[in-house]
Amino acid sequence: MSDPALTLRTALAEQLADAARAAILPFFRAGTLADNKAASGFDPVTEADRAAERAMRRVLAQAVPGDAVVGEEYDPVAGSSDWTWVLDPIDGTRAFIAGTATWGVLIAVCHLGEPVIGVIDQPWTGERWTGTPEGTVWRRGGEARAVHATAERRLDHAIAATTDPYLFSGVQAEGFARLRGQARLTRYGLDCMAYAYLASGGIGVVAETGLKDVDAAALVPVVRGAGGVISTWSGAPVLPLDPAWDGSVLAAGNPDLHLAALAQLV
Amino acid sequence: MSDPALTLRTALAEQLADAARAAILPFFRAGTLADNKAASGFDPVTEADRAAERAMRRVLAQAVPGDAVVGEEYDPVAGSSDWTWVLDPIDGTRAFIAGTATWGVLIAVCHLGEPVIGVIDQPWTGERWTGTPEGTVWRRGGEARAVHATAERRLDHAIAATTDPYLFSGVQAEGFARLRGQARLTRYGLDCMAYAYLASGGIGVVAETGLKDVDAAALVPVVRGAGGVISTWSGAPVLPLDPAWDGSVLAAGNPDLHLAALAQLV
């Protein structure tokens, strides 16, 4: 891939995140559950999801009509270039309807199937993590800084996270219980934000299963750009567009911590 | 109690929250775990906790020297009035060190032991919930609005929350499992923010045990001011300064939902 093509798409990814933010915020905390879906059929999270994905696809259709697009809400668009955009307008819809600030917008750019640009944007707090081969940058308002995952190598000193511990069953549940037992402490309910906080150095390990392509693609460049390591639970690369990917992710702040966590899961 | 005394202390509680916010923010995400505690003995959360409590106690000593003070970090101060301030400078220290925005500053004012003013402040997002007998107000920047808990009466339509499901054991674990099984969905890891989101209508039910006085006092006026109901797991009033309180809290958006949740726990 050429650098200008990557630079263009990094700038475009930021434009997409801006467009998604503007589309979503009017729907956030827009009435309670009871006021909305049950009474009137109006479902703010679905409306917000769709509005944001439409806004992002409009930008792409104008700027890079030859790139393929995979999104959560609408049909895939085939491309004629080596690039595929992978969009999840609201990762963490349960968090969104609960009114927390732990959901996010996920935007990824894959080159020949490999995620090379990733954005995790939190519209309500105004925070954004953008990962590229050059590093991961955190921004809020006018502030911007490179972020770095933890250098802590010991699992018993590190913070682990997963969104919902009750999603695991069988050997996965046993593996996660071992990981939780070894980690310093474990946090829950963060969806994509867990990977953002890993990039910023607070969380050391995130382990999840059952992810879809749109849930996972943006995480890869954000984690790697901050110096972290991301694989499946069997240590294979996370290639969300590859049908062979098993939907699992294990992210860690550095290679030693990743190996220590992997040893608990397998 | 007289209204002017309550009005004065509501204004003071906002001053305390401002002071705590300024004291804490410099320590938030101030390096990773590995960079700090292990290497140098510097523990940002403890430093932030203490700095914020000192800042709040300074305001109180000047403005209402006759009021009693109970805080997490320093010895209690006995009072000569009917009022007691209950301070938790950082509720959710685990969330704080993980770098999430799900911790908060808790400030309560009790009159003859009953919590009548409560503030839940989130310095990083800039959001604040202030509960008084007149209602609960949410503020961010220049925005301010009265908030209302959900009117949803059915548990199977409501969102439940608890900070760490692994904190429960025995009959409490069984009760929480029933609650989780009946609720529409369950979120984790929110500490005091779960009660703030309940006041804003997103979360319907929060169930926790093992809370301390400083963890719980501020929650009571915030939940009640938004129209919610808060009790222990056996339906008794939450009186955090009373030695008879068992450390449990069940908060719900309205009386029907509270009863439905209580029925699962007992």
Side-chain angles (χ1 to χ4, degrees):
Chain A
M1 76 191 113
S2 69
D3 278 344
L6 195 69
T7 304
L8 162 71
R9 286 173 179 80
T10 305
L12 266 182
E14 305 273 359
Q15 267 189 49
L16 261 63
D18 292 342
R21 198 183 271 198
I24 290 169
L25 278 176
F27 295 99
F28 183 55
R29 298 193 193 155
T32 64
L33 294 176
D35 298 336
N36 289 308
K37 197 165 189 178
S40 64
F42 173 73
D43 172 10
V45 68
T46 303
E47 296 293 327
D49 243 334
R50 290 182 183 162
E53 190 167 322
R54 284 195 305 268
M56 291 192 283
R57 284 177 182 246
R58 272 196 298 272
V59 176
L60 295 177
Q62 281 280 333
V64 283
D67 289 6
V69 183
V70 174
E72 197 189 28
E73 295 291 330
Y74 295 99
D75 289 341
V77 172
S80 54
S81 73
D82 293 339
W83 304 86
T84 303
W85 293 76
V86 185
L87 311 176
D88 190 357
I90 300 178
D91 178 73
T93 53
R94 293 169 173 212
F96 186 94
I97 61 172
T100 74
T102 60
W103 50 279
V105 178
L106 297 180
I107 299 161
V109 187
C110 297
H111 183 255
L112 299 172
E114 170 91 17
V116 288
I117 302 167
V119 175
I120 303 176
D121 188 78
Q122 214 307 308
W124 183 247
T125 69
E127 294 187 275
R128 180 178 301 169
W129 286 258
T130 305
T132 71
E134 291 175 12
T136 295
V137 175
W138 168 91
R139 286 190 188 82
R140 182 160 82 158
E143 287 181 274
R145 72 177 74 105
V147 290
H148 304 286
T150 185
E152 175 60 61
R153 297 159 67 178
R154 288 181 55 168
L155 186 54
D156 62 338
H157 289 178
I159 300 176
T162 200
T163 296
D164 187 340
Y166 297 105
L167 291 181
F168 301 123
S169 61
V171 291
Q172 290 180 342
E174 289 165 24
F176 184 76
R178 284 191 298 269
L179 178 63
R180 183 170 71 81
Q182 292 295 316
R184 174 179 173 189
L185 60 93
T186 305
R187 296 284 83 192
Y188 307 99
L190 297 169
D191 290 289
C192 61
M193 297 304 294
Y195 302 86
Y197 301 137
L198 184 145
S200 286
I203 288 176
V205 177
V206 191
E208 298 188 300
T209 58
L211 298 186
K212 292 174 296 177
D213 49 5
V214 297
D215 302 332
L219 312 174
V220 176
V222 170
V223 169
R224 285 190 185 148
V229 177
I230 186 165
S231 75
T232 69
W233 282 31
S234 48
V238 173
L239 294 168
L241 299 177
D242 184 337
W245 174 56
D246 66 1
S248 72
V249 166
L250 173 66
N254 58 73
D256 289 336
L257 190 58
H258 182 262
L259 279 179
L262 194 60
Q264 301 303 319
L265 293 180
V266 293
Chain B
M1 75 191 114
S2 69
D3 278 343
L6 195 70
T7 304
L8 162 71
R9 286 173 178 83
T10 304
L12 266 181
E14 305 273 359
Q15 268 188 47
L16 261 64
D18 291 343
R21 197 183 272 196
I24 291 169
L25 278 177
F27 295 98
F28 183 56
R29 298 193 194 154
T32 63
L33 293 176
D35 298 335
N36 289 306
K37 198 167 189 176
S40 64
F42 173 73
D43 174 8
V45 67
T46 304
E47 296 293 325
D49 243 334
R50 290 182 182 162
E53 190 167 322
R54 286 195 304 270
M56 291 193 282
R57 284 177 182 247
R58 273 197 295 273
V59 175
L60 295 177
Q62 281 280 335
V64 283
D67 288 7
V69 184
V70 175
E72 197 189 28
E73 295 290 330
Y74 295 99
D75 290 340
V77 172
S80 54
S81 74
D82 294 340
W83 303 87
T84 303
W85 293 76
V86 186
L87 310 176
D88 191 356
I90 300 177
D91 178 72
T93 52
R94 293 169 173 212
F96 186 95
I97 61 173
T100 75
T102 60
W103 51 278
V105 179
L106 296 180
I107 299 161
V109 186
C110 298
H111 184 255
L112 299 172
E114 170 92 16
V116 289
I117 301 168
V119 175
I120 302 175
D121 188 77
Q122 213 307 308
W124 184 248
T125 68
E127 294 187 275
R128 181 177 300 169
W129 286 258
T130 305
T132 71
E134 292 174 11
T136 294
V137 174
W138 168 91
R139 285 189 189 82
R140 181 159 83 158
E143 287 182 273
R145 71 177 74 105
V147 289
H148 304 286
T150 184
E152 176 58 63
R153 298 158 68 178
R154 288 181 57 168
L155 185 53
D156 62 337
H157 290 177
I159 299 176
T162 199
T163 295
D164 188 341
Y166 297 104
L167 292 181
F168 301 123
S169 60
V171 291
Q172 289 178 342
E174 291 165 23
F176 184 77
R178 284 192 298 270
L179 178 62
R180 185 169 69 81
Q182 291 296 314
R184 174 180 171 188
L185 61 93
T186 305
R187 296 285 83 191
Y188 306 99
L190 298 168
D191 290 288
C192 62
M193 297 305 293
Y195 302 86
Y197 301 137
L198 184 146
S200 286
I203 288 176
V205 176
V206 190
E208 298 188 301
T209 59
L211 298 186
K212 292 174 297 182
D213 50 4
V214 297
D215 302 331
L219 311 175
V220 177
V222 170
V223 169
R224 285 191 184 145
V229 176
I230 185 165
S231 75
T232 69
W233 282 30
S234 49
V238 173
L239 294 167
L241 299 177
D242 184 337
W245 175 56
D246 65 1
S248 72
V249 166
L250 173 66
N254 59 74
D256 289 335
L257 189 57
H258 183 263
L259 278 179
L262 194 59
Q264 301 301 322
L265 294 180
V266 295

